[in-house]
Amino acid sequence: MDYLNNFADERLIIGCIYCSGGLEETRDHVPSRILLEPPYPANLPVVPACRDCNAGFSLDEEYFAALLECVLAGSTDPAKIRHERVARGLERNFALRERLESSKREENGRIVFAVEEGRIRNVICKLAKGHATYELSTPYRAEPDLISWCPISEMTKDEWEDFDAAHVGGAINEIGSRNMQRLLATQVLLESENGERIPMNLLVNDWIEVQAGRYRYQAIDELDVVRIKIVIAEYLACEVVWSRDSY
Ligand SMILES: [Zn+2]
């Protein structure tokens, strides 16, 4: 993916972006590489994280990645999992495989997995915090006002088109942040009733593709909310929102 320097004030990001307490001892990839496939893209975004937070998410991320691949394969059998690293992980981690297998059932001829919601929330929230920090040059450590996810196949056509669209608006970003640099300024001509043409400037905030078909996200900085949208494996649509007064 494109490498953009952060020209915003680096003092905005101090310490671990997840807990603020810990020292920034490690660099955490967002997204974690387990959600991608080799060869990994160059210039993967990294954010500062303390050792405890970095390690603290790894079991939930392993669960999340394994669940996703099992859902896509309709099976917990490593031989049927397309994602090599996840398949190898399931071969080694018998307890995780058992846990996923016991959450599997058949419903109207479909394989369905009962998900551990707390762990899914934890991973999606962590991903959103990483994207927000990297793109908007500000850590959002507070609990978000909304964490939601939905398989794209369960969304209506309108819901999906709305979710999948580029964000158009006049955003206010931290000057110099990556998000500011990515914004595409465009001008449209509006025609009034008497035929007068009025130019209007728009800012278009498009999807940032980390790996085609595997992972993309949008970081939207609006007047009243900060909104992170993520699409994983073109299967799962996730959204995390902080309202301005909550952070
Ligand atoms: Zn931390």
Side-chain angles (χ1 to χ4, degrees), residues 59 62 88-98:
L59 285 179
E62 189 184 0
R88 282 203 312 273
L90 282 172
E91 271 168 14
R92 276 196 308 264
N93 190 339
F94 194 68
L96 177 60
R97 196 179 155 192
E98 276 289 291

Side-chain angles (χ1 to χ4, degrees), residues 16-18 24-33 44-51 53-58 61 126-127 129-131 134:
C16 170
I17 68 148
Y18 304 113
E24 45 181 272
E25 298 160 303
T26 65
R27 312 293 287 171
D28 192 24
H29 286 106
V30 274
S32 333
R33 279 190 283 194
L44 266 185
V46 286
V47 291
C50 73
R51 219 166 277 280
C53 285
N54 203 335
F57 288 114
S58 62
E61 284 176 328
K126 183 228 178 195
L127 291 167
K129 285 181 175 178
H131 296 321
Y134 188 80

